[in-house]
Amino acid sequence: MNYFPDEVLEYVFNFITSHNDRNSVSLVCKSWYKIERYSRQRVFIGNCYSISPERLIARFPGLKSLTLKGKPHFADFNLVPNDWGGFVCPWIQALAKSRIGLEELRLKRMVVSDDCLELLSKSFLNFKSLVLVSCEGFTTDGLAAIAANCRFLRELDLQENEVEEHSGHWLSCFPESCTSLVSLNFACLKGEINLGALERLVARSPNLKSLRLNRTVPLDTLQKLLMRAPQLVDLGTGSYVHDPSSEAFNKLESAIQRCKSIRSLSGFLEVAPCCMSAIYPICPNLTFLNLSYAPGLHGIEPTKLIQHCRKLQRLWILDCIGDKGLGVVASTCKELQELRVFPSDPFGAGNAAVTEEGLVLISAGCPKLNSLLYFCQQMTNAALITVAKNCPNFIRFRLCILDPIKPDPLTNQPLDEGFGAIVQSCKGLKRLSLSGLLTDQVFLYIGMYAEQLEMLSIAFAGDTDKGMLHVLNGCKKLRKLEIMDCPFGNIALLEDVGKYETMRSLWMSSCEVTLGGCKTLAEKMPSLSVEIIYESEQMEFCLDDRQKVEKMYLYRTLVGHRKDAPEFVWIL
């Protein structure tokens, strides 16, 4: 294709949206590398320490959209200290200094300050989209700066963030000229907001498609918002509590009936089950229903709602729905592709209400299912084998038994054969999380059959180093490996250190790896960053090479060791 003009190739490359495919295109030849370099506008970086912002800017001077991740995934389970790192400020400062035309920024598990949000808002004239997921360090003052200064803002999406709330008036900082909003999500905020400012903002945003509210937005305000924005496609309710015989509730029913376009429904952070009937008119067209934040919906209430949702493709629910409720899902939602069942009480002893029975019913009734996150009380090999036969198209399979080393309750055997059936039947499996009593045999199956696997999470599993070696030797496409409380040590870690150059990261905590083993790895592979994470009081014990390391985080980097590591992080 070298005989085509560069402009033609650039036009063709613009149709390639996959980050991996764009990377492959850049490796074909020098000409394609150059064209791809100048034409790429969207970049994904899975580890903010794998490259420097200056190097990114030099490589892609036309950058407009950046997705950046900070802390390791296990930070979601409180295994990474809060002040470990993941600061976004150096990135925003470098991007601002370069005068790059940034329009979209998506951050996950990063530390964000008010100062850098203000710098972001003032440095990029055409900035349009800010998505923050599981971030921390900022307050509503930073949000006020974004609202006040980003004149063309289309999306402000705040998911699962820790936000210090100084004032509920940040929404009033949107100027009257702001009419461009398409998506607004502040469901994670806990404090009160200016309801009048919210109503005015929604009223002057004719293109608003997604609106997710926090628990302080009452039902009567929801009714007013729906009257002003009947074009919504994605709705997250706030406080859904009212007297069903009241005039406000009657008005809400009328407003909901006008919302013909809603396809995604979430929220119900506070809910009166007797008011749920008002939602029924929009249920037949829903493709996504998220009730994972609605502990007030229990008993038969979730299933009564789901029975009206025959077009659902994605369902997030609490385990209080029970196995019988999952049976209703199976008989109703024939188009279901993704199911997430969360624990209503993850620390309660024996309170989980779903078991292998509910999962088997789902697999039998929902043949299109390809993504699963399932917190349950128990699981059997027979159930997993049945699920594998019924749903061979899984690309994500995450099973969490609340007792992490529980065997098959019927046979008292490990769950090796069940998970072996999953990896053997599901040829396209890319993400897998294991749970229950497991031996090295399950890792042999994974290494043999999980040819497409990219991410594996393991806890309390395996017998010897052979388990980890089966995975490293067999899974050629593995990018992220997370291991916790497993008997894997230096032999497994050091057997094939070259493998880590093809992976994004390896996390090991409470395993058998020693400081000496980590030092050997760092010496052999200088292109890797090997971080040892100790709690402060453990630092004095970390000089002995025979000392087991509590937490090790290994990742590829093109720019050497990071300069912002705290005292409890030792970079070898």
Side-chain angles (χ1 to χ4, degrees):
M1 292 179 65
N2 287 339
Y3 50 84
F4 285 119
D6 289 358
E7 294 80 6
V8 173
L9 288 176
E10 180 176 342
Y11 179 78
V12 173
F13 290 174
N14 285 336
F15 288 95
I16 303 175
T17 56
S18 164
H19 295 291
N20 289 334
D21 290 343
R22 295 287 303 221
N23 292 342
S24 298
V25 162
S26 69
L27 298 176
V28 172
C29 62
K30 290 183 178 180
S31 174
W32 284 30
Y33 175 91
K34 180 180 177 181
I35 297 169
E36 200 280 329
R37 173 195 174 197
Y38 285 106
S39 64
R40 189 188 294 206
Q41 297 181 351
R42 310 176 70 87
V43 175
F44 168 85
I45 297 176
N47 179 355
C48 66
Y49 292 118
S50 64
I51 192 172
S52 68
E54 292 79 12
R55 188 159 179 166
L56 171 72
I57 294 164
R59 171 74 187 272
F60 302 115
L63 177 69
K64 290 186 178 180
S65 175
L66 176 61
T67 299
L68 194 60
K69 291 186 177 181
K71 293 182 179 180
H73 174 244
F74 269 3
D76 291 345
F77 305 97
N78 297 319
L79 291 176
V80 181
N82 288 332
D83 45 357
W84 172 85
F87 301 99
V88 75
C89 281
W91 286 83
I92 294 179
Q93 290 167 355
L95 290 166
K97 184 178 179 181
S98 72
R99 301 185 182 276
I100 209 160
L102 191 69
E103 295 181 1
E104 301 176 359
L105 182 61
R106 293 171 171 82
L107 306 176
K108 189 170 186 179
R109 301 188 201 99
M110 298 203 72
V111 179
V112 182
S113 70
D114 287 342
D115 288 341
C116 68
L117 286 180
E118 184 173 5
L119 178 62
L120 176 71
S121 71
K122 293 180 177 179
S123 300
F124 308 102
L125 296 180
N126 293 316
F127 191 76
K128 298 174 182 177
S129 176
L130 177 63
V131 179
L132 303 178
V133 182
S134 301
C135 294
E136 58 183 299
F138 64 102
T139 75
T140 47
D141 293 344
L143 299 179
I146 293 293
N149 300 321
C150 299
R151 295 179 297 168
F152 304 105
L153 194 67
R154 291 169 51 87
E155 180 179 29
L156 179 59
D157 189 354
L158 309 174
Q159 304 177 35
E160 305 287 344
N161 300 289
E162 296 182 12
V163 186
E164 184 178 343
E165 301 182 41
H166 291 169
S167 168
H169 293 284
W170 64 274
L171 278 173
S172 62
C173 295
F174 281 99
E176 292 298 322
S177 59
C178 178
T179 60
S180 56
L181 268 185
V182 175
S183 177
L184 176 63
N185 175 9
F186 57 92
C188 68
L189 300 187
K190 297 179 174 62
E192 294 186 356
I193 53 116
N194 188 320
L195 298 178
L198 175 62
E199 291 178 30
R200 291 190 296 273
L201 178 60
V202 170
R204 64 176 185 269
S205 302
N207 297 316
L208 190 66
K209 300 296 183 184
S210 177
L211 179 62
R212 298 189 181 186
L213 312 170
N214 75 347
R215 66 176 64 248
T216 68
V217 180
L219 186 141
D220 54 346
T221 299
L222 173 63
Q223 175 264 322
K224 296 175 184 177
L225 296 173
L226 294 180
M227 291 296 293
R228 289 165 171 78
Q231 76 280 1
L232 285 176
V233 175
D234 175 18
L235 173 64
T237 69
S239 176
Y240 195 78
V241 178
H242 219 286
D243 180 359
S245 62
S246 66
E247 181 180 356
F249 183 76
N250 292 332
K251 289 182 178 180
L252 175 66
E253 285 186 307
S254 177
I256 289 177
Q257 290 175 3
R258 296 178 64 238
C259 298
K260 306 293 186 182
S261 300
I262 292 181
R263 299 293 181 269
S264 172
L265 183 63
S266 60
F268 305 105
L269 309 175
E270 294 179 358
V271 60
C274 57
C275 296
M276 292 304 296
S277 59
I279 297 295
Y280 293 166
I282 62 174
C283 287
N285 290 323
L286 290 180
T287 58
F288 178 35
L289 178 62
N290 181 358
L291 299 179
S292 63
Y293 295 98
L297 287 179
H298 45 75
I300 64 171
E301 292 303 326
T303 54
K304 286 171 63 177
L305 180 63
I306 290 169
Q307 283 177 317
H308 293 82
C309 305
R310 295 190 173 274
K311 293 183 180 179
L312 276 188
Q313 297 177 14
R314 302 171 63 208
L315 174 63
W316 296 9
I317 195 85
L318 292 173
D319 62 4
C320 56
I321 191 174
D323 289 334
K324 290 184 178 180
L326 291 178
V328 173
V329 174
S331 61
T332 304
C333 309
K334 298 301 180 181
E335 301 298 315
L336 195 67
Q337 298 177 29
E338 177 184 342
L339 174 66
R340 299 189 185 187
V341 180
F342 296 91
S344 50
D345 181 12
F347 305 107
N351 290 333
V354 296
T355 68
E356 75 281 1
E357 294 181 12
L359 184 56
V360 169
L361 290 172
I362 287 288
S363 71
C366 307
K368 296 183 180 181
L369 193 68
N370 60 50
S371 180
L372 178 74
L373 172 61
Y374 197 75
F375 284 82
C376 60
Q377 181 72 10
Q378 63 182 37
M379 187 55 58
T380 67
N381 282 305
L384 288 172
I385 292 170
T386 301
V387 170
K389 291 179 180 178
N390 291 340
C391 299
N393 296 319
F394 275 116
I395 56 175
R396 288 178 292 271
F397 191 92
R398 294 181 286 167
L399 180 71
C400 181
I401 302 173
L402 296 182
D403 179 354
I405 56 174
K406 188 170 185 177
D408 183 323
L410 301 181
T411 65
N412 207 36
Q413 294 297 308
L415 294 174
D416 300 335
E417 299 305 318
F419 280 106
I422 293 292
V423 296
Q424 189 169 1
S425 296
C426 306
K427 304 297 185 184
L429 193 67
K430 294 184 177 182
R431 183 172 182 181
L432 176 63
S433 296
L434 305 175
S435 189
L437 181 63
L438 297 164
T439 72
D440 286 346
Q441 184 65 32
V442 75
F443 300 114
L444 176 62
Y445 291 143
I446 293 172
M448 290 176 61
Y449 300 114
E451 296 180 356
Q452 304 300 318
L453 193 66
E454 296 179 359
M455 181 174 178
L456 176 62
S457 301
I458 310 165
F460 303 98
D463 304 309
T464 67
D465 286 316
K466 288 183 179 179
M468 182 173 168
L469 290 175
H470 288 320
V471 172
L472 292 175
N473 293 333
C475 300
K476 304 302 183 184
K477 295 188 177 181
L478 191 66
R479 300 176 64 196
K480 294 178 69 175
L481 179 57
E482 303 173 335
I483 305 173
M484 181 178 71
D485 289 280
C486 294
F488 305 147
N490 294 341
I491 294 176
L493 180 69
L494 300 174
E495 176 74 16
D496 182 13
V497 295
K499 172 69 176 180
Y500 305 128
E501 286 193 329
T502 68
M503 295 171 55
R504 184 191 301 170
S505 64
L506 167 66
W507 171 279
M508 298 183 74
S509 60
S510 301
C511 295
E512 300 297 317
V513 171
T514 67
L515 178 60
C518 294
K519 286 182 177 179
T520 300
L521 175 59
E523 291 172 359
K524 289 184 176 182
M525 304 299 295
S527 63
L528 301 177
S529 183
V530 182
E531 296 192 4
I532 308 301
I533 303 174
Y534 284 100
E535 301 299 332
S536 299
E537 62 270 19
Q538 295 175 314
M539 288 296 289
E540 59 184 283
F541 299 107
C542 67
L543 298 179
D544 188 344
D545 284 356
R546 295 169 298 178
Q547 175 76 24
K548 292 179 184 178
V549 299
E550 178 60 26
K551 299 169 184 175
M552 183 203 71
Y553 182 45
L554 174 156
Y555 55 88
R556 283 184 306 167
T557 177
L558 299 177
V559 290
H561 298 159
R562 62 185 175 116
K563 303 300 189 293
D564 61 357
E567 290 184 356
F568 57 80
V569 173
W570 186 6
I571 303 180
L572 302 179

